[in-house]
């Protein structure tokens, strides 16, 4: 990690710092002047209604999308300003679990998990084997190592992807909906795993999830985003017991309240009365 | 092992490609390995070389004994000079052999036909063939024919 | 009217932009040839997918086109009593035109569409994105070996096509229709030039290989990540690549054999 040319901005206690960040999709602002800190060595959860831009946020941190304004500082580097090769170097210290899993379909489960090890390390084959089997064991898929991704169930694929995301023991792991599609047992395992990995290896975790209970049980700090803003933040207890109406509505799962469940749209009457034109 | 059959298949593919290029070179374009075969060079001047091209055949009694290697214009006499490489094995052509530019099948490609002479000396590298017969140019023939007809009429 | 012109201008700009982007894709993919140890197995795998798997269609088509050329040519040449020129006619047609062009068209349909669909599906299922997040540039890892495989395989396939075609013509002309075998080959050798015919045909096939593969990988990489998007990109690959091959063939022929 010596060849990164851009200057380190500051040695901070935060692994990720997002400052005054605005991101537009066409005319629609997904984020408006958002500030978020992800403290080092902690599990930080991002929560919010579907479609508010949680996945987008992870992609912004990973440098796959560029904000229209503001800074996204990861480990001292302002990601939007990094050149291609520097960006790839910063990313080699990140692991990301995609919402869809995104396993490489032409490789077996074993090779999928081995992939980051092969490209970023020169470890001998038997070491790679040990590491891969260890990671697969952790997610309960050691027996499935020879299966191809098309032979896995949705939940299994996601766990395999989780094993791949943590294969390199990255400094920052981003989990996009790690609990979705898991049965209660697997869910418990994954919840524990995230917490355990974070504590044992001292890396920084970002968990995106809708599952209030599970998230609250492992997150050190929670951000609730909605409508392009951070509408609440704090420790799990603080957020769960928040007085802020929008936060309370979301955390308690009330259908009616200030947080919109619907994608922005003209009023229902208008839409129906407008007749056939879409 | 899967990886191994894959590599074998790719190796076979490249090999077939190589065979194809060798086939095209040797069999189809006649680029002979023995183009480096020993030859000696003979020159002949023609009043008109017609459509003779470089690499055209040089034959004697229908047998190919060499190739045309170069064609250019003699800037003083204004005749076409044809250089041909004759294979060394035919080193007993007599120095008064004659050369004619012929046309295969009447309309086909042009080639040079040599006819053995009577002299005991042989053609050697750099010799010239003096007895030459130019290409028959169809247009000239037709023109002559027409002119003859016109002038015949009173 | 003004709207029409504006639309025309806009689509012109779109085309220019797409060309720019495809150039960038190619540039990034080929900028650095990554280390041989990791990329060689990838290349071998792609040569298998792009080249070996296209062999059957190329060999069969080459054989039949050679045989048909011999049949047709024999009928025409026979009228002028010059059927021994059959070999030369077939060989020149194959080497100069049909070999490179037909191979490129088949290649676009067989290998090009497969490349587009594969890369497009990788994009749609976020495999390219997750590769990026692992810190591997998909342009290097996915696009580059596929591009080089096309670059290598297309000329090889064209050579095989022409060779098989000549053999097919030999089978029909000499073995079946009774053209004299000796004059079949000697006529061919007398008129086919290594540099003029074989090499120029080879250069054509290299150019076609680059263009077809480039279009295919770019269409895949640039696909709209939906199933409809993939089907469109695949169609576009075949259409654009075929048109590009035919257009370039005219230009190349004019430069190589024409009066230019
Ligand atoms: N490629 C795109 N082009 C245009 N808009 C997009 C695109 N991708 C996402 N969006 C919009 O961005 C918004 C945020 O999407 P995102 O995937 O980040 O939501 P999310 O918070 O992860 O939702 P979920 O919890 O359902 O996964 C959505 O409203 C979506 O309409
Ligand atoms: Mg999402």
């Amino acid at each position: 990690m010596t060849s990164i040319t851009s200057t380190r901005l500051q040695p901070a206690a935060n692994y990720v710092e997002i400052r005054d960040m605005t991101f537009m999709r066409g005319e629609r602002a997904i984020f408006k002047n958002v500030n978020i800190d992800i403290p080092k060595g902690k599990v930080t959860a991002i929560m919010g209604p579907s479609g508010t831009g949680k996945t987008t946020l992870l992609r912004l941190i990973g440098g796959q999308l560029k904000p229209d304004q503001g800074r996204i500082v990861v480990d001292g580097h302002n990601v939007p300003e990094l050149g291609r090769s520097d960006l790839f170097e910063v990313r080699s210290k990140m692991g990301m679990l995609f919402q869809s899993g995104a396993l490489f379909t032409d490789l077996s489960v074993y090779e999928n998990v081995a992939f980051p090890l092969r490209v970023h390390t020169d470890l001998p084959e038997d070491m790679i084997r040990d590491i891969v089997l260890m990671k697969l064991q952790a997610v309960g898929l050691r027996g499935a190592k020879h299966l191809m991704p098309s032979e896995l169930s949705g939940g299994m694929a996601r766990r395999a992807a989780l094993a791949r995301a943590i294969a390199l023991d990255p400094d920052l792991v981003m989990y996009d909906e790690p609990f979705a599609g898991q049965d209660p047992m697997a869910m418990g395992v994954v919840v524990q795993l995230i917490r355990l990995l974070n504590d044992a290896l001292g890396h920084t975790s970002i968990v995106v999830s809708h599952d209030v209970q599970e998230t609250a049980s492992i997150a050190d700090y929670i951000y609730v985003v909605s409508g392009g803003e951070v509408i609440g933040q704090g420790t799990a207890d603080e957020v769960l017991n928040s007085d802020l109406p929008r936060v309370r509505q979301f955390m308690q799962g009330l259908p009616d309240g200030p947080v919109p469940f619907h994608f922005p749209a003209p009023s229902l009457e208008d839409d129906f009365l407008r007749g056939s034109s879409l | 092992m899967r990886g191994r059959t894959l590599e074998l298949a790719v190796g076979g593919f490249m090999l077939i490609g190589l065979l194809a290029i060798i086939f095209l070179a040797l069999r189809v374009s006649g680029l002979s390995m023995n183009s480096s075969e020993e030859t000696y060079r003979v020159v002949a001047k023609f009043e008109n070389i017609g459509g003779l091209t470089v690499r055209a055949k040089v034959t004697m009694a229908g047998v190919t004994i060499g190739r045309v290697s170069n064609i250019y214009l003699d800037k003083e006499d204004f005749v076409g000079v044809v250089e041909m490489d004759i294979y060394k094995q035919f080193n007993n052509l007599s120095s008064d052999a004659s050369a004619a530019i012929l046309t295969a099948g009447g309309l086909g490609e042009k080639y040079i036909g040599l006819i053995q002479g009577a002299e005991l000396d042989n053609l050697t590298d750099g010799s010239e063939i003096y007895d030459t017969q130019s290409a028959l140019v169809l247009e000239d023939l037709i023109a002559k024919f027409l002119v003859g007809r016109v002038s015949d009429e009173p | 009217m003004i709207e029409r012109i504006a639309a025309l201008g806009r689509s012109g700009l779109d085309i220019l932009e797409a060309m720019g982007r495809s150039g960038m894709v190619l540039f990034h993919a080929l900028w650095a040839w990554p280390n041989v140890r990791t990329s060689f197995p990838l290349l071998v795998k792609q040569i298998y997918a792009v080249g070996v798997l296209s062999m059957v269609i190329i060999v069969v088509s080459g054989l039949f086109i050679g045989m048909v050329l011999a049949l047709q040519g024999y009928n025409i040449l026979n009228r002028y009593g010059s059927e021994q020129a059959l070999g030369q006619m077939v060989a020149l047609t194959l080497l100069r035109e049909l070999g490179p062009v037909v191979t490129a068209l088949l290649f676009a349909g067989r290998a090009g569409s497969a490349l587009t669909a594969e890369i497009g599906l990788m994009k749609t299922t976020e495999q390219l994105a997750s590769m990026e997040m692992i810190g591997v540039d998909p342009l290097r890892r996915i696009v580059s070996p596929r591009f080089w495989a096309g670059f290598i395989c297309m000329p090889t396939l064209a050579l095989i096509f022409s060779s098989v075609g000549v053999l097919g013509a030999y089978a029909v002309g000499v073995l079946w229709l009774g053209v004299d075998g000796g004059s079949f080959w000697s006529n061919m050798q007398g008129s086919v030039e290594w540099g003029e015919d074989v090499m120029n045909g080879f250069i054509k096939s290299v150019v076609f290989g680059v263009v077809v593969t480039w279009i295919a990988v770019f269409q895949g990489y640039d696909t709209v990540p939906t199933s409809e998007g993939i089907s469109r990109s695949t169609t576009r690959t075949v259409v654009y690549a075929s048109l590009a091959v035919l257009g370039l063939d005219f230009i190349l022929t004019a430069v190589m054999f024409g009066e230019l």
Side-chain angles (χ1 to χ4, degrees), chain B residues 2 5-7 9-10 13-14 16-21 23-31 54-55 57 67 105 109, chain C residues 44-45 47-48 51-52 55 91 95 152-153 156-157 159-160 162-163 166-167 185 187-190 192-194 198 202:
Chain B
R2 197 167 141 263
T5 53
L6 191 126
E7 276 157 23
V10 170
F13 173 68
M14 299 316 261
I16 294 173
L18 197 69
L19 288 179
I21 204 165
F23 172 76
L24 292 180
L26 300 187
R27 193 74 207 180
V28 173
S29 73
L31 187 80
V54 173
R55 270 180 57 78
K57 280 186 278 193
R67 299 253 167 212
E109 55 176 321
Chain C
V44 169
K45 203 168 159 190
I47 291 182
Y48 180 81
V52 177
M55 273 279 283
L95 288 172
I152 293 171
C153 290
T156 312
L157 290 170
L159 290 172
I160 295 173
S162 298
S163 304
V166 169
L167 291 176
W185 291 118
N187 243 311
M188 190 188 290
Q189 290 169 3
V192 175
E193 288 281 334
W194 170 255
V198 181
F202 184 77

Side-chain angles (χ1 to χ4, degrees), chain A residues 264-278:
Chain A
S267 78
L268 199 58
E269 291 85 358
D270 284 357
D271 242 7
F272 281 128
L273 290 177
R274 213 168 344 140
S276 59
S277 74
L278 248 172

Side-chain angles (χ1 to χ4, degrees), chain A residues 25 28 30 49-56 99 177 210 263:
Chain A
R25 282 275 193 204
R28 198 154 59 93
I30 307 288
S50 179
T52 46
K54 304 181 295 296
T55 302
T56 308
Q99 200 164 0
E177 317 260 359
H210 299 126
F263 196 87

Side-chain angles (χ1 to χ4, degrees), chain B residues 70-147:
Chain B
N70 193 11
I71 297 174
Y72 59 90
L73 181 71
D74 183 327
K75 281 190 197 148
E76 283 168 12
D77 299 344
F78 297 102
V79 291
V81 182
V82 175
E83 292 182 1
M84 44 198 133
D85 291 340
I86 313 284
Y87 302 137
K88 271 271 164 68
Q89 63 186 106
F90 308 106
N91 59 357
N92 55 345
L93 308 183
S94 71
S95 58
D96 65 341
S98 63
I101 297 180
L102 305 172
T103 307
L107 289 171
E109 55 176 321
K110 298 278 199 267
Y111 65 99
I112 292 187
L114 296 185
I115 297 172
Q116 177 71 319
E119 286 278 343
L120 292 178
D121 299 353
N122 290 333
L123 288 174
T124 53
D125 196 41
S127 308
E128 180 174 347
I129 296 175
Y130 294 101
D131 185 0
T132 61
Q133 187 189 332
S134 290
L136 278 181
V137 179
L138 217 52
E139 294 93 315
D140 289 354
L141 278 183
I142 293 171
K144 263 185 208 158
F145 179 66
L146 287 179
V147 170

Side-chain angles (χ1 to χ4, degrees), chain A:
Chain A
M1 286 313 310
T2 49
S3 68
I4 288 195
T5 46
S6 73
T7 46
R8 283 183 166 251
L9 299 172
Q10 73 238 48
N14 296 326
Y15 198 84
V16 180
E17 285 185 359
I18 298 176
R19 289 286 171 274
D20 297 325
M21 189 268 289
T22 300
F23 178 75
M24 315 277 291
R25 282 275 193 204
E27 294 294 295
R28 198 154 59 93
I30 307 288
F31 292 108
K32 284 176 284 208
N33 295 321
V34 169
N35 291 294
I36 291 177
D37 289 333
I38 310 289
K40 233 179 207 143
K42 297 274 165 55
V43 178
T44 307
I46 312 281
M47 307 190 72
S50 179
T52 46
K54 304 181 295 296
T55 302
T56 308
L57 182 67
L58 297 189
R59 290 184 165 230
L60 283 162
I61 295 173
Q64 291 194 314
L65 298 173
K66 288 214 188 313
D68 294 272
Q69 264 174 43
R71 293 191 305 160
I72 299 176
V73 181
V74 177
D75 195 22
H77 308 286
N78 188 8
V79 170
E81 284 176 358
L82 289 181
R84 222 177 151 79
S85 53
D86 291 345
L87 187 59
F88 279 112
E89 244 183 295
V90 170
R91 280 177 185 161
S92 68
K93 291 194 297 181
M94 297 180 186
M96 175 153 171
L97 170 66
F98 276 72
Q99 200 164 0
S100 62
L103 292 172
F104 303 134
T105 45
D106 56 338
L107 300 178
S108 67
V109 169
Y110 178 93
E111 286 299 326
N112 259 288
V113 181
F115 184 87
L117 297 165
R118 292 197 202 286
V119 293
H120 287 302
T121 68
D122 284 322
L123 294 176
E125 190 56 36
D126 52 342
M127 286 259 281
I128 290 185
R129 192 187 133 84
D130 290 349
I131 297 175
V132 172
L133 292 185
M134 223 163 65
K135 305 289 178 191
L136 283 176
Q137 173 75 10
V139 297
L141 287 177
R142 192 164 49 82
K145 60 175 184 280
H146 291 310
L147 296 186
M148 295 305 281
S150 57
E151 299 166 314
L152 302 179
S153 74
M156 286 161 82
R158 191 177 295 263
R159 276 184 284 151
L162 178 65
R164 185 181 66 182
I166 58 175
L168 270 179
D169 292 328
D171 294 347
L172 171 69
V173 197
M174 297 185 269
Y175 305 91
D176 197 351
E177 317 260 359
F179 312 127
Q182 302 295 345
D183 63 73
M185 220 164 51
M187 180 120 82
V189 170
V190 172
V191 170
Q192 259 185 3
L193 188 66
I194 293 174
R195 187 72 245 179
L196 215 72
L197 285 170
N198 195 77
D199 296 348
L201 301 171
H203 52 213
T204 306
S205 311
I206 305 177
V207 179
V208 164
S209 178
H210 299 126
D211 296 88
V212 176
Q213 289 313 317
E214 283 72 21
T215 310
S217 71
I218 53 167
D220 296 310
Y221 204 79
I222 297 178
Y223 284 92
V224 184
V225 288
S226 176
E229 305 166 330
V230 175
I231 56 169
Q233 54 181 295
T235 61
D237 280 343
E238 284 168 8
V239 172
L240 277 174
N241 303 320
S242 170
D243 292 334
L244 295 166
R246 292 192 293 181
V247 177
R248 206 173 59 198
Q249 184 214 340
F250 177 76
M251 296 310 271
Q252 300 179 356
L254 307 173
D256 287 315
V259 175
F261 162 69
H262 294 283
F263 196 87
S267 78
L268 199 58
E269 291 85 358
D270 284 357
D271 242 7
F272 281 128
L273 290 177
R274 213 168 344 140
S276 59
S277 74
L278 248 172

